[in-house]
Amino acid sequence: MARLRPLDPDFPIERQLGIATGPVVLVNLFTLDKADEQSFLQVWQDDAAFMKRQPGFISTQLHRAIGESPTYLNYAVWQTNADFRAAFTHPEFRSKISAYPASAVASPHLFQKVAVPGICVA
């Protein structure tokens, strides 16, 4: 079962879920034992397939750290925080968390785009 470790202990995902905003980007950093990589990838694929079917889902992308580090970063884009909250708290998704390898630690956090003049748009 994946353990949750907040990226920001002062503002964990549970507190972020109540904010009415959108669009949002979920960034989720996973750390795990190297021996668990294949089972992690299988569970993540099933997890992502469920999320892809949920209202408000836009896209997702999984990245692996370079070199020997069994660290993964996932980001997913959602139309609204309410859409993400509905999917994240859905009983079917919550049951999927128990399928992750015991070594997996997930650090989910929600973000919004920031406009920086001349560099990027929100």
Coordinates of all heavy atoms in Angstrom, one line a residue, residues 4-99:
L4 N 1.2 8.0 2.0 CA 1.2 9.4 1.6 C 2.1 10.3 2.5 O 2.0 10.2 3.7 CB -0.3 10.0 1.6 CG -1.2 9.4 0.7 CD1 -2.6 10.0 0.8 CD2 -0.8 9.5 -0.8
R5 N 2.9 11.0 1.8 CA 3.8 12.0 2.5 C 3.7 13.3 1.8 O 4.0 13.4 0.7 CB 5.3 11.5 2.5 CG 6.2 12.5 3.2 CD 7.7 12.0 3.1 NE 7.9 10.7 3.6 CZ 8.7 9.8 3.1 NH1 9.5 10.1 2.1 NH2 8.8 8.6 3.7
P6 N 3.1 14.3 2.5 CA 2.9 15.6 1.8 C 4.2 16.3 1.4 O 5.2 16.2 2.1 CB 2.2 16.4 2.9 CG 2.1 15.6 4.1 CD 2.7 14.3 3.9
L7 N 4.1 16.9 0.2 CA 5.2 17.8 -0.2 C 5.3 18.9 0.7 O 6.4 19.4 1.0 CB 5.0 18.3 -1.7 CG 5.3 17.3 -2.8 CD1 5.0 18.0 -4.1 CD2 6.7 16.8 -2.8
D8 N 4.2 19.5 1.1 CA 4.2 20.6 2.1 C 3.4 20.1 3.3 O 2.2 20.1 3.3 CB 3.5 21.8 1.5 CG 3.4 23.0 2.4 OD1 3.8 22.9 3.6 OD2 3.0 24.1 1.9
P9 N 4.1 19.7 4.4 CA 3.4 19.2 5.6 C 2.4 20.2 6.2 O 1.4 19.8 6.8 CB 4.5 18.9 6.6 CG 5.8 18.8 5.7 CD 5.6 19.7 4.5
D10 N 2.6 21.5 5.9 CA 1.7 22.5 6.5 C 0.4 22.6 5.7 O -0.6 23.2 6.1 CB 2.3 23.8 6.6 CG 3.4 23.9 7.6 OD1 3.3 23.1 8.6 OD2 4.4 24.6 7.4
F11 N 0.4 22.0 4.4 CA -0.8 22.1 3.6 C -0.9 20.9 2.7 O -0.7 20.9 1.5 CB -0.7 23.4 2.7 CG -2.0 23.9 2.3 CD1 -2.8 24.5 3.2 CD2 -2.5 23.7 1.0 CE1 -4.1 25.0 2.9 CE2 -3.8 24.1 0.6 CZ -4.6 24.8 1.6
P12 N -1.2 19.7 3.4 CA -1.3 18.5 2.7 C -2.5 18.4 1.7 O -3.4 19.3 1.7 CB -1.5 17.5 3.8 CG -2.1 18.3 4.9 CD -1.6 19.6 4.8
I13 N -2.5 17.4 0.9 CA -3.5 17.2 -0.1 C -4.9 17.3 0.4 O -5.8 17.8 -0.2 CB -3.3 15.9 -1.0 CG1 -4.2 15.9 -2.2 CG2 -3.5 14.7 -0.1 CD1 -3.7 16.7 -3.3
E14 N -5.1 16.8 1.6 CA -6.5 16.8 2.2 C -7.0 18.2 2.4 O -8.2 18.4 2.2 CB -6.5 16.0 3.5 CG -6.2 14.5 3.4 CD -4.7 14.2 3.3 OE1 -3.9 15.1 3.5 OE2 -4.4 13.0 3.0
R15 N -6.1 19.1 2.7 CA -6.6 20.5 2.8 C -6.7 21.2 1.5 O -7.6 22.1 1.3 CB -5.5 21.3 3.7 CG -5.6 21.0 5.1 CD -4.6 21.8 6.0 NE -5.0 23.2 5.9 CZ -4.2 24.2 6.2 NH1 -3.0 24.0 6.7 NH2 -4.6 25.5 6.1
Q16 N -6.0 20.8 0.5 CA -6.1 21.4 -0.8 C -7.4 21.0 -1.5 O -7.9 21.8 -2.3 CB -4.9 20.9 -1.7 CG -3.5 21.3 -1.1 CD -2.4 20.6 -1.8 OE1 -2.4 20.4 -3.0 NE2 -1.5 20.1 -1.0
L17 N -7.9 19.8 -1.2 CA -9.1 19.3 -1.9 C -10.3 20.3 -1.7 O -11.2 20.3 -2.6 CB -9.4 17.9 -1.4 CG -8.5 16.8 -1.8 CD1 -8.9 15.5 -1.1 CD2 -8.3 16.7 -3.3
G18 N -10.4 21.0 -0.7 CA -11.5 21.9 -0.4 C -11.5 23.2 -1.1 O -12.5 24.0 -1.0
I19 N -10.5 23.5 -1.8 CA -10.4 24.8 -2.5 C -11.1 24.8 -3.8 O -10.8 23.9 -4.7 CB -8.9 25.3 -2.7 CG1 -8.3 25.4 -1.3 CG2 -8.8 26.5 -3.4 CD1 -6.8 25.6 -1.3
A20 N -12.0 25.7 -4.0 CA -12.8 25.7 -5.3 C -12.0 26.6 -6.3 O -11.9 27.8 -6.2 CB -14.2 26.4 -5.1
T21 N -11.4 25.9 -7.3 CA -10.5 26.5 -8.3 C -10.4 25.6 -9.5 O -10.7 24.4 -9.4 CB -9.2 26.9 -7.7 OG1 -8.5 27.8 -8.6 CG2 -8.3 25.8 -7.3
G22 N -9.8 26.1 -10.5 CA -9.5 25.3 -11.6 C -8.9 26.1 -12.8 O -9.1 27.4 -12.7
P23 N -8.3 25.6 -13.7 CA -7.8 24.2 -13.7 C -6.7 24.0 -12.7 O -6.1 24.9 -12.2 CB -7.3 24.0 -15.1 CG -7.0 25.4 -15.6 CD -7.9 26.3 -14.9
V24 N -6.5 22.7 -12.4 CA -5.4 22.3 -11.4 C -4.5 21.3 -12.1 O -4.9 20.5 -12.9 CB -6.0 21.8 -10.1 CG1 -6.7 22.9 -9.3 CG2 -6.8 20.6 -10.2
V25 N -3.3 21.3 -11.6 CA -2.3 20.3 -12.0 C -1.9 19.5 -10.7 O -1.4 20.1 -9.8 CB -1.1 21.0 -12.6 CG1 0.0 19.9 -13.0 CG2 -1.5 21.7 -13.9
L26 N -2.1 18.2 -10.8 CA -1.6 17.4 -9.7 C -0.2 17.0 -10.0 O 0.1 16.5 -11.1 CB -2.4 16.1 -9.6 CG -1.8 15.0 -8.7 CD1 -1.9 15.3 -7.3 CD2 -2.5 13.6 -9.0
V27 N 0.7 17.2 -9.1 CA 2.1 16.7 -9.2 C 2.2 15.7 -8.1 O 2.0 16.0 -6.9 CB 3.1 17.9 -9.0 CG1 4.5 17.3 -9.0 CG2 3.0 18.9 -10.2
N28 N 2.7 14.5 -8.4 CA 2.8 13.4 -7.5 C 4.2 12.8 -7.6 O 4.5 12.2 -8.6 CB 1.7 12.4 -7.7 CG 1.4 11.5 -6.4 OD1 2.2 11.6 -5.5 ND2 0.4 10.7 -6.5
L29 N 5.0 12.9 -6.6 CA 6.3 12.3 -6.6 C 6.2 11.0 -5.9 O 5.7 10.9 -4.8 CB 7.3 13.2 -5.8 CG 8.7 12.8 -5.8 CD1 9.3 12.9 -7.2 CD2 9.5 13.7 -4.8
F30 N 6.7 9.9 -6.5 CA 6.7 8.6 -5.9 C 8.1 8.1 -5.7 O 9.0 8.2 -6.6 CB 6.1 7.5 -6.9 CG 4.6 7.7 -7.1 CD1 4.1 8.4 -8.2 CD2 3.7 7.1 -6.3 CE1 2.8 8.6 -8.5 CE2 2.3 7.2 -6.5 CZ 1.9 8.0 -7.6
T31 N 8.4 7.6 -4.5 CA 9.7 7.0 -4.2 C 9.4 5.5 -3.9 O 8.3 5.2 -3.3 CB 10.4 7.6 -3.1 OG1 9.6 7.7 -1.9 CG2 10.8 9.1 -3.5
L32 N 10.2 4.6 -4.3 CA 10.0 3.2 -4.0 C 11.3 2.4 -4.1 O 12.3 3.0 -4.6 CB 9.0 2.6 -5.0 CG 9.2 2.8 -6.5 CD1 9.0 1.5 -7.2 CD2 8.3 3.9 -7.0
D33 N 11.3 1.2 -3.7 CA 12.4 0.3 -3.8 C 12.5 -0.1 -5.3 O 11.5 -0.4 -5.9 CB 12.2 -0.9 -2.9 CG 12.3 -0.6 -1.5 OD1 12.8 0.4 -1.1 OD2 11.9 -1.5 -0.7
K34 N 13.8 -0.2 -5.7 CA 14.0 -0.6 -7.1 C 13.3 -1.9 -7.5 O 12.8 -2.1 -8.6 CB 15.5 -0.7 -7.4 CG 15.9 -0.8 -8.8 CD 17.3 -0.4 -9.0 CE 17.7 -0.4 -10.5 NZ 16.9 0.4 -11.4
A35 N 13.3 -2.9 -6.5 CA 12.7 -4.2 -6.8 C 11.2 -4.1 -7.1 O 10.6 -5.0 -7.6 CB 13.0 -5.1 -5.6
D36 N 10.6 -3.0 -6.7 CA 9.1 -2.8 -6.8 C 8.7 -2.0 -8.1 O 7.5 -1.8 -8.3 CB 8.6 -2.1 -5.6 CG 8.6 -3.0 -4.4 OD1 8.5 -4.2 -4.5 OD2 8.6 -2.5 -3.3
E37 N 9.7 -1.7 -8.9 CA 9.4 -0.8 -10.1 C 8.3 -1.5 -11.0 O 7.4 -0.8 -11.4 CB 10.6 -0.5 -10.9 CG 11.4 0.6 -10.2 CD 12.5 1.1 -11.1 OE1 13.6 0.5 -11.1 OE2 12.3 2.1 -11.8
Q38 N 8.4 -2.7 -11.4 CA 7.5 -3.3 -12.3 C 6.1 -3.4 -11.7 O 5.1 -3.1 -12.4 CB 8.0 -4.7 -12.8 CG 9.1 -4.6 -13.7 CD 8.9 -3.7 -14.9 OE1 7.9 -3.8 -15.6 NE2 9.8 -2.7 -15.1
S39 N 6.0 -3.8 -10.5 CA 4.6 -3.8 -9.9 C 4.1 -2.4 -9.7 O 2.9 -2.2 -9.9 CB 4.6 -4.6 -8.6 OG 5.5 -3.9 -7.6
F40 N 4.9 -1.4 -9.4 CA 4.5 0.0 -9.3 C 3.9 0.4 -10.7 O 2.8 1.0 -10.7 CB 5.6 0.9 -8.9 CG 5.3 2.3 -9.2 CD1 4.6 3.1 -8.3 CD2 5.8 3.0 -10.3 CE1 4.3 4.4 -8.5 CE2 5.6 4.3 -10.6 CZ 4.8 5.0 -9.7
L41 N 4.6 0.1 -11.8 CA 4.2 0.6 -13.1 C 2.8 -0.1 -13.5 O 2.0 0.6 -14.1 CB 5.2 0.3 -14.1 CG 6.5 1.1 -14.0 CD1 7.6 0.6 -14.9 CD2 6.2 2.6 -14.3
Q42 N 2.6 -1.3 -13.1 CA 1.4 -2.0 -13.4 C 0.2 -1.4 -12.7 O -0.8 -1.1 -13.2 CB 1.5 -3.5 -13.1 CG 2.4 -4.2 -14.1 CD 2.7 -5.6 -13.6 OE1 2.4 -6.0 -12.5 NE2 3.3 -6.4 -14.5
V43 N 0.4 -1.1 -11.4 CA -0.6 -0.5 -10.5 C -0.9 0.9 -11.0 O -2.0 1.4 -11.1 CB -0.2 -0.5 -9.0 CG1 -1.2 0.2 -8.2 CG2 -0.1 -2.0 -8.6
W44 N 0.2 1.7 -11.3 CA 0.0 3.1 -11.8 C -0.8 3.1 -13.0 O -1.7 3.9 -13.2 CB 1.3 3.8 -12.0 CG 1.1 5.2 -12.3 CD1 1.0 6.3 -11.4 CD2 1.0 5.8 -13.6 NE1 0.7 7.4 -12.1 CE2 0.7 7.1 -13.5 CE3 1.0 5.2 -14.9 CZ2 0.5 8.0 -14.6 CZ3 0.8 6.1 -16.0 CH2 0.6 7.4 -15.8
Q45 N -0.5 2.2 -14.0 CA -1.3 2.1 -15.2 C -2.8 1.9 -15.0 O -3.6 2.6 -15.6 CB -0.7 1.0 -16.1 CG -1.4 1.0 -17.5 CD -0.8 -0.1 -18.4 OE1 0.1 -0.8 -18.0 NE2 -1.3 -0.2 -19.6
D46 N -3.1 1.0 -14.1 CA -4.5 0.7 -13.7 C -5.1 2.0 -13.1 O -6.3 2.4 -13.4 CB -4.6 -0.5 -12.8 CG -6.0 -0.9 -12.5 OD1 -6.8 -1.0 -13.4 OD2 -6.3 -1.0 -11.3
D47 N -4.4 2.6 -12.2 CA -4.8 3.8 -11.5 C -5.1 4.9 -12.5 O -6.1 5.6 -12.5 CB -3.7 4.2 -10.5 CG -3.9 5.4 -9.7 OD1 -4.9 6.1 -9.9 OD2 -3.0 5.7 -8.9
A48 N -4.2 5.1 -13.4 CA -4.3 6.2 -14.4 C -5.5 5.9 -15.4 O -6.2 6.8 -15.8 CB -3.0 6.3 -15.2
A49 N -5.7 4.6 -15.7 CA -6.8 4.3 -16.6 C -8.1 4.7 -15.9 O -9.1 5.1 -16.6 CB -6.8 2.8 -16.9
F50 N -8.2 4.4 -14.6 CA -9.4 4.8 -13.9 C -9.6 6.3 -13.9 O -10.7 6.9 -14.2 CB -9.4 4.4 -12.4 CG -10.4 5.0 -11.5 CD1 -11.7 4.5 -11.5 CD2 -10.1 6.1 -10.7 CE1 -12.7 5.0 -10.7 CE2 -11.1 6.7 -10.0 CZ -12.4 6.1 -10.0
M51 N -8.5 7.1 -13.6 CA -8.6 8.5 -13.6 C -9.0 9.1 -15.0 O -9.8 10.0 -15.1 CB -7.3 9.1 -13.1 CG -7.0 8.9 -11.7 SD -8.2 9.7 -10.6 CE -7.4 9.7 -9.1
K52 N -8.5 8.5 -16.0 CA -8.7 8.9 -17.4 C -10.2 8.9 -17.7 O -10.7 9.7 -18.5 CB -7.9 8.1 -18.4 CG -8.0 8.6 -19.8 CD -7.1 7.7 -20.6 CE -7.1 8.2 -22.1 NZ -6.3 7.4 -22.9
R53 N -11.0 8.0 -17.1 CA -12.4 7.9 -17.3 C -13.2 8.8 -16.5 O -14.5 8.9 -16.7 CB -12.9 6.4 -17.0 CG -12.3 5.4 -17.9 CD -12.9 4.0 -17.7 NE -12.8 3.5 -16.3 CZ -11.9 2.8 -15.8 NH1 -10.8 2.5 -16.5 NH2 -11.9 2.4 -14.6
Q54 N -12.6 9.6 -15.6 CA -13.4 10.5 -14.7 C -13.7 11.8 -15.4 O -12.9 12.4 -16.1 CB -12.6 10.7 -13.4 CG -12.3 9.4 -12.7 CD -13.5 8.5 -12.6 OE1 -14.5 8.8 -12.0 NE2 -13.4 7.3 -13.1
P55 N -14.8 12.4 -15.0 CA -15.2 13.7 -15.5 C -14.1 14.8 -15.1 O -13.6 14.8 -14.0 CB -16.5 14.1 -14.9 CG -17.1 12.7 -14.4 CD -15.9 11.9 -14.2
G56 N -13.8 15.6 -16.1 CA -12.8 16.7 -15.8 C -11.4 16.4 -16.0 O -10.5 17.3 -16.0
F57 N -11.1 15.1 -16.2 CA -9.7 14.7 -16.5 C -9.3 15.2 -17.8 O -10.0 15.1 -18.8 CB -9.6 13.2 -16.5 CG -8.2 12.7 -16.9 CD1 -7.2 12.5 -16.0 CD2 -8.0 12.3 -18.2 CE1 -6.0 12.0 -16.3 CE2 -6.7 11.9 -18.6 CZ -5.7 11.7 -17.6
I58 N -8.1 15.8 -17.9 CA -7.6 16.3 -19.2 C -6.4 15.5 -19.7 O -6.4 15.0 -20.8 CB -7.1 17.8 -19.1 CG1 -8.4 18.7 -18.8 CG2 -6.4 18.3 -20.3 CD1 -8.1 20.1 -18.4
S59 N -5.4 15.3 -18.8 CA -4.2 14.5 -19.3 C -3.4 14.1 -18.1 O -3.5 14.6 -17.0 CB -3.4 15.3 -20.3 OG -2.8 16.4 -19.6
T60 N -2.5 13.2 -18.4 CA -1.5 12.8 -17.4 C -0.2 12.4 -18.1 O -0.2 12.0 -19.3 CB -2.0 11.6 -16.5 OG1 -1.1 11.5 -15.4 CG2 -2.1 10.3 -17.2
Q61 N 0.9 12.4 -17.4 CA 2.2 12.0 -17.9 C 3.1 11.5 -16.7 O 3.2 12.1 -15.7 CB 2.9 13.1 -18.6 CG 4.3 12.8 -19.1 CD 4.2 11.7 -20.2 OE1 3.5 11.9 -21.2 NE2 4.9 10.6 -20.1
L62 N 3.7 10.3 -16.9 CA 4.6 9.8 -15.9 C 6.0 9.9 -16.3 O 6.3 9.7 -17.5 CB 4.2 8.3 -15.7 CG 5.0 7.5 -14.6 CD1 4.7 8.1 -13.2 CD2 4.7 6.0 -14.7
H63 N 6.9 10.3 -15.4 CA 8.3 10.5 -15.7 C 9.1 9.6 -14.7 O 8.7 9.5 -13.6 CB 8.7 11.9 -15.5 CG 8.0 12.9 -16.4 ND1 8.5 13.4 -17.5 CD2 6.8 13.5 -16.2 CE1 7.6 14.2 -18.1 NE2 6.6 14.3 -17.3
R64 N 10.2 9.1 -15.2 CA 11.1 8.4 -14.3 C 12.4 9.2 -14.1 O 12.9 9.7 -15.1 CB 11.5 7.0 -14.9 CG 12.3 6.1 -13.9 CD 12.8 4.9 -14.6 NE 13.4 4.0 -13.6 CZ 14.7 4.1 -13.2 NH1 15.4 5.1 -13.7 NH2 15.2 3.3 -12.3
A65 N 12.9 9.2 -12.9 CA 14.2 9.9 -12.7 C 15.3 9.2 -13.5 O 15.2 8.0 -13.8 CB 14.6 9.8 -11.2
I66 N 16.3 10.0 -14.0 CA 17.3 9.4 -14.8 C 18.3 8.6 -13.8 O 18.3 8.8 -12.6 CB 18.1 10.5 -15.6 CG1 18.7 11.5 -14.7 CG2 17.1 11.2 -16.6 CD1 19.6 12.5 -15.4
G67 N 19.1 7.8 -14.4 CA 20.0 7.0 -13.7 C 19.4 5.8 -12.9 O 18.4 5.3 -13.3
E68 N 19.9 5.6 -11.8 CA 19.5 4.4 -11.0 C 18.4 4.7 -10.0 O 18.0 3.8 -9.2 CB 20.8 3.8 -10.3 CG 21.9 3.3 -11.2 CD 21.4 2.2 -12.1 OE1 20.7 1.3 -11.6 OE2 21.7 2.3 -13.3
S69 N 18.0 5.9 -9.9 CA 17.0 6.3 -8.9 C 15.6 5.7 -9.3 O 15.0 6.1 -10.3 CB 16.9 7.8 -8.8 OG 15.9 8.2 -7.9
P70 N 15.0 4.9 -8.4 CA 13.6 4.4 -8.7 C 12.6 5.5 -8.2 O 11.7 5.2 -7.3 CB 13.5 3.1 -7.9 CG 14.4 3.4 -6.7 CD 15.6 4.3 -7.2
T71 N 12.7 6.7 -8.7 CA 11.8 7.8 -8.3 C 11.0 8.2 -9.6 O 11.6 8.3 -10.7 CB 12.6 9.0 -7.8 OG1 13.4 8.6 -6.7 CG2 11.7 10.1 -7.4
Y72 N 9.7 8.4 -9.4 CA 8.8 8.7 -10.5 C 8.1 10.0 -10.2 O 7.8 10.3 -9.0 CB 7.8 7.6 -10.7 CG 8.4 6.4 -11.3 CD1 9.1 5.4 -10.6 CD2 8.3 6.1 -12.7 CE1 9.7 4.3 -11.1 CE2 8.9 5.0 -13.3 CZ 9.6 4.1 -12.5 OH 10.2 3.0 -13.0
L73 N 7.8 10.7 -11.2 CA 7.0 11.9 -11.0 C 5.8 11.9 -12.0 O 6.0 11.6 -13.2 CB 7.8 13.2 -11.3 CG 6.9 14.5 -11.2 CD1 7.5 15.3 -10.1 CD2 6.9 15.2 -12.5
N74 N 4.6 12.0 -11.5 CA 3.4 12.0 -12.3 C 2.8 13.4 -12.2 O 2.8 14.0 -11.2 CB 2.4 11.0 -11.8 CG 1.1 11.1 -12.5 OD1 1.0 10.9 -13.7 ND2 0.1 11.5 -11.8
Y75 N 2.3 13.9 -13.4 CA 1.5 15.1 -13.3 C 0.2 14.9 -14.1 O 0.3 14.1 -15.1 CB 2.2 16.4 -13.7 CG 2.6 16.5 -15.2 CD1 1.6 16.9 -16.1 CD2 3.8 16.2 -15.6 CE1 2.0 17.0 -17.5 CE2 4.2 16.3 -17.0 CZ 3.2 16.7 -17.9 OH 3.6 16.8 -19.2
A76 N -0.9 15.4 -13.6 CA -2.1 15.2 -14.3 C -2.9 16.5 -14.2 O -2.8 17.3 -13.2 CB -3.0 14.2 -13.5
V77 N -3.5 16.9 -15.3 CA -4.2 18.1 -15.5 C -5.7 17.8 -15.4 O -6.2 16.9 -16.0 CB -3.9 18.8 -16.8 CG1 -4.6 20.2 -16.9 CG2 -2.4 19.0 -17.0
W78 N -6.4 18.7 -14.6 CA -7.9 18.5 -14.3 C -8.5 19.9 -14.6 O -8.0 20.9 -14.3 CB -8.1 18.1 -12.9 CG -7.7 16.7 -12.6 CD1 -6.4 16.3 -12.3 CD2 -8.5 15.5 -12.7 NE1 -6.4 14.9 -12.2 CE2 -7.6 14.4 -12.4 CE3 -9.8 15.3 -12.9 CZ2 -8.1 13.1 -12.3 CZ3 -10.3 14.0 -12.9 CH2 -9.4 12.9 -12.6
Q79 N -9.8 19.8 -15.1 CA -10.5 21.0 -15.4 C -10.8 21.8 -14.1 O -10.7 23.1 -14.1 CB -11.8 20.7 -16.1 CG -11.7 20.2 -17.5 CD -13.0 19.9 -18.2 OE1 -14.1 20.0 -17.6 NE2 -12.9 19.4 -19.4
T80 N -11.1 21.1 -13.0 CA -11.4 21.8 -11.7 C -10.9 21.0 -10.6 O -10.7 19.8 -10.7 CB -12.9 22.1 -11.5 OG1 -13.6 20.8 -11.3 CG2 -13.5 22.8 -12.7
N81 N -10.7 21.6 -9.5 CA -10.3 20.9 -8.3 C -11.5 20.0 -7.8 O -11.2 18.9 -7.3 CB -9.9 21.9 -7.2 CG -9.2 21.2 -6.0 OD1 -8.6 20.1 -6.2 ND2 -9.1 21.9 -4.9
A82 N -12.7 20.4 -8.0 CA -13.9 19.6 -7.7 C -13.8 18.3 -8.5 O -14.1 17.2 -7.9 CB -15.2 20.3 -7.9
D83 N -13.5 18.3 -9.8 CA -13.3 17.1 -10.6 C -12.3 16.2 -10.0 O -12.5 15.0 -9.9 CB -13.0 17.5 -12.0 CG -14.1 18.2 -12.8 OD1 -15.3 17.9 -12.5 OD2 -13.8 19.0 -13.6
F84 N -11.1 16.8 -9.7 CA -10.0 16.0 -9.1 C -10.5 15.4 -7.8 O -10.3 14.2 -7.5 CB -8.8 16.8 -8.9 CG -7.7 16.0 -8.2 CD1 -7.0 15.0 -8.7 CD2 -7.4 16.3 -6.8 CE1 -6.1 14.2 -8.0 CE2 -6.5 15.6 -6.1 CZ -5.8 14.5 -6.7
R85 N -11.1 16.2 -6.9 CA -11.5 15.7 -5.6 C -12.5 14.5 -5.7 O -12.4 13.5 -5.0 CB -12.2 16.8 -4.8 CG -12.7 16.4 -3.5 CD -13.4 17.6 -2.7 NE -14.4 18.3 -3.4 CZ -14.3 19.5 -3.9 NH1 -13.2 20.2 -3.6 NH2 -15.3 20.1 -4.5
A86 N -13.5 14.6 -6.7 CA -14.4 13.5 -6.9 C -13.7 12.2 -7.3 O -14.0 11.2 -6.8 CB -15.4 13.9 -7.9
A87 N -12.7 12.3 -8.1 CA -12.0 11.2 -8.6 C -11.1 10.6 -7.4 O -11.0 9.4 -7.2 CB -11.1 11.5 -9.8
F88 N -10.4 11.5 -6.7 CA -9.4 11.2 -5.7 C -10.1 10.5 -4.5 O -9.5 9.7 -3.8 CB -8.6 12.4 -5.3 CG -7.5 12.1 -4.3 CD1 -6.3 11.6 -4.8 CD2 -7.6 12.5 -3.0 CE1 -5.3 11.3 -3.9 CE2 -6.6 12.3 -2.1 CZ -5.4 11.7 -2.6
T89 N -11.3 10.9 -4.2 CA -12.0 10.4 -3.1 C -13.0 9.3 -3.4 O -13.7 8.7 -2.6 CB -12.8 11.5 -2.3 OG1 -13.7 12.1 -3.2 CG2 -11.9 12.6 -1.8
H90 N -13.1 9.0 -4.7 CA -14.0 7.9 -5.2 C -13.6 6.6 -4.5 O -12.4 6.2 -4.5 CB -13.9 7.8 -6.7 CG -14.9 6.9 -7.3 ND1 -14.9 5.6 -7.3 CD2 -16.0 7.3 -8.0 CE1 -15.9 5.1 -7.9 NE2 -16.6 6.1 -8.4
P91 N -14.5 5.8 -4.0 CA -14.2 4.5 -3.4 C -13.3 3.6 -4.2 O -12.4 2.9 -3.7 CB -15.5 3.9 -3.0 CG -16.5 5.1 -3.0 CD -15.9 6.1 -3.9
E92 N -13.6 3.5 -5.5 CA -12.8 2.6 -6.4 C -11.4 3.1 -6.5 O -10.5 2.2 -6.4 CB -13.4 2.6 -7.8 CG -12.7 1.6 -8.7 CD -13.4 1.5 -10.1 OE1 -14.5 2.0 -10.3 OE2 -12.7 1.0 -11.0
F93 N -11.1 4.4 -6.5 CA -9.7 4.9 -6.5 C -9.1 4.6 -5.2 O -7.9 4.1 -5.1 CB -9.7 6.4 -6.9 CG -8.3 6.9 -6.7 CD1 -7.3 6.6 -7.6 CD2 -8.0 7.7 -5.6 CE1 -6.0 7.0 -7.4 CE2 -6.7 8.1 -5.4 CZ -5.7 7.8 -6.3
R94 N -9.8 4.9 -4.1 CA -9.2 4.7 -2.8 C -8.8 3.2 -2.6 O -7.8 2.9 -1.9 CB -10.2 5.1 -1.7 CG -10.6 6.6 -1.7 CD -9.5 7.5 -1.8 NE -8.8 7.7 -0.6 CZ -7.8 8.5 -0.4 NH1 -7.3 9.3 -1.4 NH2 -7.2 8.6 0.8
S95 N -9.6 2.3 -3.1 CA -9.2 0.9 -3.0 C -8.0 0.5 -3.8 O -7.2 -0.4 -3.5 CB -10.4 0.0 -3.4 OG -10.6 0.0 -4.8
K96 N -7.7 1.3 -4.9 CA -6.5 1.0 -5.7 C -5.2 1.4 -5.0 O -4.2 0.8 -5.3 CB -6.6 1.8 -7.0 CG -7.7 1.3 -8.0 CD -7.8 2.2 -9.2 CE -8.9 1.7 -10.1 NZ -8.8 0.3 -10.5
I97 N -5.3 2.3 -4.1 CA -4.1 2.7 -3.3 C -3.5 1.5 -2.6 O -2.3 1.4 -2.5 CB -4.4 3.9 -2.3 CG1 -4.8 5.1 -3.1 CG2 -3.2 4.1 -1.4 CD1 -5.3 6.3 -2.3
S98 N -4.3 0.6 -2.1 CA -3.8 -0.6 -1.4 C -3.0 -1.5 -2.3 O -2.3 -2.4 -1.8 CB -4.9 -1.3 -0.7 OG -5.8 -1.9 -1.7
A99 N -3.2 -1.4 -3.6 CA -2.5 -2.3 -4.6 C -1.0 -1.9 -4.8 O -0.2 -2.6 -5.4 CB -3.2 -2.4 -5.9

